[in-house]
Amino acid sequence: MKTYSENSTKAPEPLFGKAYKGPYSHIDGNDQNTLTDTPSIEELLQRNADLWRGCDMAGQGVHGRSTGYPQLDEILPGRGWPQNGLLEIISPQWGMGELQLLIPLMRSVIEQGQWILWISPPHLLYAPALVQAGINTDQVLVVNLETACKDALWSMEKALQTKNCGLVLAWQTWLPGKVLRRLQLAAESGSTLGVLFKHRDSKYSPSRIRLQLKGSSSDINNFNEAEVTVVKARGNFRPLTTRLQLYQHHS
Amino acid sequence: MEDPESTAQLPLPSPFGAKAEVIELPLPEQPASESKKESDQNQVQRPDSLWYGIYFPQLAELTESQQQEHLNELATVLENVSSTVSFHPQALICEIRSSLKYFGDIDTIHDKVNEPLNEALKQLSLPDYFLYAACPTVTGSLLLARSGHNGLVYRKDNLRSALGQLPTEVLHLEKEQNRRLYNMGVRHLRDIWRLPTDGLRKRFGSEFMNLLNKALGEAPEPTHNYVPPPAFSTSYDLPYEVESLDRLLPVADEMLRQLCEFLRRRDLSTSHLVFSLKHEKRNSTDINMSLRQTSRRSEHLLMLLETHFSNLMIPAPVIAMKMEVRKFDAFMSQSESLLAEDKPTARQYSDSNLNQFMEQLKARLGGHFVNSINTIAEHCPEYATKQLAYDEMVRTNRTEHDPESVPLTPRPFLLLQEPQQLVLKNGKLYHRKPITIISGPERIESYWWSGSDVRRDYYVALERNGSRLWIYRERSDEKNWYLHGYFA
């Protein structure tokens, strides 16, 4: 094995320097700054969303978009939703508060002038409810339920690649890993967040984050409450669970 | 007949505006010696052009925009005999000297124009007659045509005598000026020419004098010429039958490049293209590409075509492809803000990207599958939302949301299209699991005026497994419970 001594005239090639600079250089901000005042390793680790230390949740810095639910932010890597990628929300049946979770995100997407695409929601999307939640329906597009699955996936991929769509919501109960991988890549290339609503969890999904929703019991006092488990998230080393109040965002 | 060169052949004045007979005039046959003399002159002076004026008195009753519209259509007929067609009030004038040699004589030209013009006038539901004349100046032929004499003057030298016989009405002057001319004892144009120029200019203005000079060919006559609308159509016969549509893309690419070059040169863009794929012994397959935003980028158009191809089934192999532009639009380039920091966050995503995306969606899914939604001020829940199809979206202006149109009580995100009946067993409600009512009731009564009365008490409820439901109980006889939405 070849080793480099300190006296060696030829400095070792940096192993990671190049690999991590390319697509994520924007996270580092201005390149010149990083050259002049070299940041500490701590800072570098905190700023880069693709680097994490498995043992430390708190030290990962803030690079996510806030979910609007402090308890949920607490257990998500980067303290919020990721900037892009695929998100899976698993609820045994529809209506368990899965949309409620995303309302603060939808609002911020609309405020940024981006569009929200709903791909074949299981029922009629009800406009008055969106307006009540503070979501401008002018920037909402719906692809009908009757659309063929192939076409729905195609539209989802295209929408994820388009920068104008800030959020793509799709209801697909089962998708093969290959398709999910493709969607994940599309979302990364368009820096768009895609959300898949599913009934069942699939273990080897390449999605960035998988959330499991569990409804409260039929106790009237707990109507607002929902239990959210982060089954998997890039950056989390074990599933974390929290309880949160869903209906605090109603205006 | 006397020397046809020297006479302005005019019949006796006919009642103004009435349809006059065609004067048969032989083409001037010049003696050899004279033609030589003429050709000597021609070295210095170009031969007089000949303008064929057509006057439509029936257009006078229409509005200006209608006149222009009709003249535009009539001008297409004249395109057959001349390359220069110009517009004048209720009249069209075209240059025919250059086409005289080709057609032989002026009668042939007249015959070529007469029938189609009458036909065109009939289609515009106007009386099918027109007055015409030809002479070496634009204004002169206009005046001659107006007089209804259907005259023909070949040489500029004869213009003065020919025009001199016309009544002053053909000048279409204002009432006051007409009256003044009448009081001065001026009845015909030749009477005007007898008067001193300076005095006339003083009394009638330089415009009046200019008109007369133009008629005699003593002043330049700029005209506003007819430009035929652009048209683009191209086709390609494939060397062999093609079954895979992907093979057509390089051909389509070349066609689109040509089109974009055509558009760029004319500063146009397009919003509607039609591709037709020809099959042997079958009807051709047409692909309609209508764009939301006009475009002249071949990459974009090709991408759209590719999307169209991706779910197109062809009944037979393709032997030829044709592309045609149905609609041209003016090209509008987008200007960007000079100061980049003008608006840091809002609208940083350009609309053109979105439009491209929407066009792609529409091409693949079809317009009625892509919807936008809107609220309607309506009490009855199922009528309070509206899905607008893609095509309607473009047309309807987005209305400002009326905050009062949205109810204050909670509404579910997902509404069932058909309410689902719930089971009531031993005093407990069941959907799939038992249901507990959380809040309510909210009474909604509407549509009592129509047959289907809506009288319901709405409740927010929670299913045992955690679904948040919107349910109602009918207040009519059966008092059934229904599930109407998910709060999700």
Side-chain angles (χ1 to χ4, degrees):
Chain A
M1 201 172 132
K2 194 181 172 188
T3 52
Y4 292 101
S5 69
E6 279 185 13
N7 298 335
S8 167
T9 46
K10 196 182 168 193
E13 293 266 324
L15 282 175
F16 301 105
K18 265 187 186 164
Y20 285 105
K21 237 179 187 173
Y24 296 101
S25 56
H26 61 280
I27 292 167
D28 297 321
N30 203 335
D31 265 352
Q32 286 183 340
N33 280 346
T34 51
L35 281 175
T36 47
D37 40 294
T38 45
S40 67
I41 285 184
E42 279 300 321
E43 280 170 7
L44 277 176
L45 282 174
Q46 285 204 358
R47 276 191 229 150
N48 197 330
D50 270 19
L51 279 178
W52 68 82
R53 279 171 290 178
C55 57
D56 186 12
M57 268 296 295
Q60 286 193 13
V62 181
H63 46 73
R65 285 191 252 183
S66 171
T67 62
Y69 299 92
Q71 302 97 321
L72 188 59
D73 283 350
E74 202 66 28
I75 58 165
L76 282 171
R79 310 240 170 245
W81 302 122
Q83 299 291 347
N84 60 46
L86 212 55
L87 187 71
E88 281 177 38
I89 297 182
I90 299 137
S91 60
Q93 65 271 318
W94 309 137
M96 296 185 57
E98 62 269 19
L99 288 173
Q100 206 64 44
L101 266 187
L102 296 174
I103 283 181
L105 176 67
M106 289 188 209
R107 275 192 215 148
S108 80
V109 163
I110 295 279
E111 267 166 34
Q112 282 171 11
Q114 288 174 308
W115 286 60
I116 300 177
L117 185 67
W118 304 63
I119 295 173
S120 55
H123 303 289
L124 199 69
L125 185 60
Y126 198 51
L130 286 180
V131 175
Q132 277 181 348
I135 293 161
N136 185 358
T137 52
D138 286 353
Q139 275 155 269
V140 169
L141 272 182
V142 186
V143 172
N144 272 5
L145 179 59
E146 295 89 54
T147 315
C149 178
K150 206 175 117 197
D151 286 339
L153 285 177
W154 177 88
S155 349
M156 182 165 188
E157 190 185 9
K158 282 279 173 279
L160 286 172
Q161 284 168 351
T162 312
K163 291 209 165 56
N164 292 72
C165 282
L167 189 60
V168 183
L169 310 171
W171 280 257
Q172 296 289 337
T173 44
W174 186 87
L175 287 174
K178 218 166 100 186
V179 173
L180 289 176
R181 173 106 200 106
R182 203 166 144 178
L183 292 176
Q184 166 73 25
L185 283 175
E188 277 173 15
S189 74
S191 62
T192 308
L193 195 61
V195 183
L196 276 177
F197 297 101
K198 304 167 90 178
H199 279 323
R200 243 171 254 108
D201 189 13
S202 54
K203 244 181 181 174
Y204 303 108
S205 155
S207 312
R208 225 180 156 114
I209 290 181
R210 298 209 312 273
L211 290 182
Q212 169 95 45
L213 263 179
K214 217 166 151 191
S216 55
S217 58
S218 51
D219 185 359
I220 295 174
N221 300 328
N222 286 343
F223 175 72
N224 263 347
E225 246 181 45
E227 196 181 295
V228 182
T229 308
V230 180
V231 181
K232 183 209 120 174
R234 282 192 201 171
N236 277 14
F237 60 98
R238 64 185 161 86
L240 294 166
T241 304
T242 188
R243 301 189 74 81
L244 42 91
Q245 302 287 315
L246 280 177
Y247 295 97
Q248 55 194 351
H249 290 282
H250 258 296
S251 49
Chain B
M1 194 184 269
E2 289 175 295
D3 178 19
E5 284 278 277
S6 61
T7 44
Q9 290 274 341
L10 283 172
L12 287 170
S14 61
F16 182 67
K19 192 177 179 186
E21 283 171 21
V22 181
I23 323 148
E24 304 236 340
L25 262 188
L27 255 183
E29 284 168 24
Q30 296 171 352
S33 60
E34 224 182 285
S35 77
K36 201 177 175 193
K37 205 174 83 191
E38 187 114 294
S39 68
D40 285 346
Q41 280 179 358
N42 282 358
Q43 282 173 357
V44 207
Q45 204 182 327
R46 276 172 44 220
D48 298 337
S49 49
L50 193 59
W51 297 90
Y52 190 62
I54 298 178
Y55 177 59
F56 305 97
Q58 62 268 52
L59 286 181
E61 291 152 20
L62 304 173
T63 62
E64 210 153 288
S65 61
Q66 271 178 323
Q67 282 186 23
Q68 193 57 42
E69 212 172 284
H70 290 341
L71 285 178
N72 251 325
E73 274 185 42
L74 293 166
T76 53
V77 176
L78 292 185
E79 279 282 291
N80 293 334
V81 294
S82 169
S83 58
T84 319
V85 181
S86 57
F87 293 113
H88 299 267
Q90 299 128 45
L92 290 169
I93 292 174
C94 60
E95 208 282 320
I96 52 165
R97 170 72 76 187
S98 42
S99 36
L100 209 53
K101 198 170 180 183
Y102 174 74
F103 287 110
D105 60 53
I106 193 152
D107 289 330
T108 322
I109 293 181
H110 177 73
D111 288 346
K112 260 195 120 49
V113 163
N114 189 19
E115 194 85 349
L117 269 185
N118 283 337
E119 201 61 35
L121 282 169
K122 259 184 213 164
Q123 278 197 351
L124 298 170
S125 57
L126 289 168
D128 57 332
Y129 72 95
F130 57 90
L131 306 170
Y132 58 95
C135 84
T137 61
V138 178
T139 315
S141 64
L142 180 65
L143 296 182
L144 278 172
R146 273 182 192 165
S147 74
H149 285 335
N150 299 352
L152 171 65
V153 182
Y154 270 111
R155 292 180 58 182
K156 240 181 198 170
D157 311 340
N158 305 331
L159 256 180
R160 190 177 276 263
S161 59
L163 292 172
Q165 301 180 32
L166 302 181
T168 52
E169 281 93 342
V170 298
L171 294 172
H172 283 201
L173 295 174
E174 284 166 32
K175 225 176 182 178
E176 169 62 25
Q177 287 186 324
N178 261 336
R179 193 188 58 82
R180 229 184 287 165
L181 278 177
Y182 188 84
N183 288 350
M184 285 159 74
V186 174
R187 302 287 183 273
H188 292 98
L189 292 188
R190 61 171 172 260
D191 301 332
I192 299 176
W193 283 316
R194 285 194 196 112
L195 299 170
T197 326
D198 286 353
L200 276 176
R201 194 184 297 279
K202 213 169 183 180
R203 285 175 177 79
F204 292 95
S206 56
E207 212 166 295
F208 173 77
M209 289 311 294
N210 206 16
L211 182 72
L212 290 176
N213 285 340
K214 271 183 186 174
L216 292 176
E218 284 162 8
E221 300 176 285
T223 53
H224 169 54
N225 283 351
Y226 168 71
V227 182
F232 190 90
S233 147
T234 176
S235 66
Y236 183 77
D237 290 330
L238 298 160
Y240 46 86
E241 293 187 344
V242 168
E243 284 185 47
S244 147
L245 287 170
D246 291 345
R247 295 264 182 98
L248 293 175
L249 286 175
V251 181
D253 186 25
E254 187 51 43
M255 283 178 168
L256 289 170
R257 265 169 217 279
Q258 283 174 15
L259 167 68
C260 292
E261 191 56 41
F262 174 88
L263 294 173
R264 202 165 295 127
R265 288 198 183 149
R266 282 165 181 75
D267 202 27
L268 291 169
S269 61
T270 178
S271 65
H272 192 178
L273 281 174
V274 176
F275 275 90
S276 42
L277 310 176
K278 301 237 157 66
H279 313 293
E280 205 150 5
K281 292 180 192 161
R282 268 174 201 270
N283 288 340
S284 56
T285 312
D286 283 355
I287 301 166
N288 261 301
M289 274 169 56
S290 51
L291 310 186
R292 183 183 158 89
Q293 196 188 35
T294 67
S295 168
R296 66 171 187 205
R297 270 184 52 227
S298 64
E299 299 89 0
H300 174 216
L301 294 171
L302 188 69
M303 186 190 70
L304 279 182
L305 183 70
E306 218 177 322
T307 317
H308 274 284
F309 275 174
S310 70
N311 47 344
L312 184 74
M313 299 292 282
I314 46 171
V318 182
I319 54 164
M321 182 159 74
K322 187 181 172 206
M323 182 181 81
E324 199 182 339
V325 179
R326 288 277 165 86
K327 192 163 179 280
F328 287 98
D329 302 89
F331 178 69
M332 306 274 264
S333 65
Q334 282 182 337
S335 55
E336 301 201 349
S337 167
L338 175 67
L339 303 169
E341 308 292 312
D342 216 4
K343 282 180 185 171
T345 49
R347 285 280 156 202
Q348 53 178 315
Y349 307 95
S350 67
D351 276 345
S352 68
N353 260 342
L354 181 78
N355 282 326
Q356 277 184 22
F357 167 66
M358 302 270 283
E359 270 157 21
Q360 239 187 324
L361 265 189
K362 187 195 158 201
R364 168 92 184 213
L365 306 177
H368 58 285
F369 275 118
V370 192
N371 295 304
S372 118
I373 58 168
N374 212 343
T375 53
I376 299 170
E378 172 67 62
H379 285 297
C380 190
E382 52 261 58
Y383 300 115
T385 184
K386 181 168 69 169
Q387 291 212 343
L388 286 170
Y390 171 91
D391 297 321
E392 292 169 48
M393 253 162 69
V394 184
R395 263 174 271 135
T396 47
N397 277 337
R398 305 256 173 176
T399 44
E400 282 294 308
H401 290 291
D402 185 4
E404 283 174 26
S405 73
V406 179
L408 295 169
T409 44
R411 289 285 179 269
F413 272 113
L414 301 172
L415 195 77
L416 268 64
Q417 240 141 9
E418 291 281 317
Q420 213 173 332
Q421 197 173 342
L422 300 171
V423 185
L424 189 66
K425 212 158 64 187
N426 301 332
K428 266 191 99 67
L429 273 174
Y430 290 89
H431 174 42
R432 275 167 288 196
K433 298 253 169 79
I435 293 171
T436 320
I437 287 175
I438 303 287
S439 68
E442 178 197 353
R443 180 157 299 177
I444 293 177
E445 291 193 28
S446 189
Y447 282 87
W448 44 264
W449 56 88
S450 71
S452 51
D453 200 353
V454 173
R455 296 166 73 209
R456 299 164 183 169
D457 282 340
Y458 275 90
Y459 299 90
V460 178
L462 186 67
E463 209 178 345
R464 173 68 56 79
N465 53 20
S467 283
R468 287 154 182 86
L469 312 176
W470 202 41
I471 60 173
Y472 70 84
R473 186 180 198 186
E474 278 195 333
R475 296 193 63 245
S476 48
D477 332 305
E478 292 178 20
K479 300 208 187 291
N480 283 329
W481 289 85
Y482 290 92
L483 168 65
H484 205 182
Y486 287 102
F487 280 94

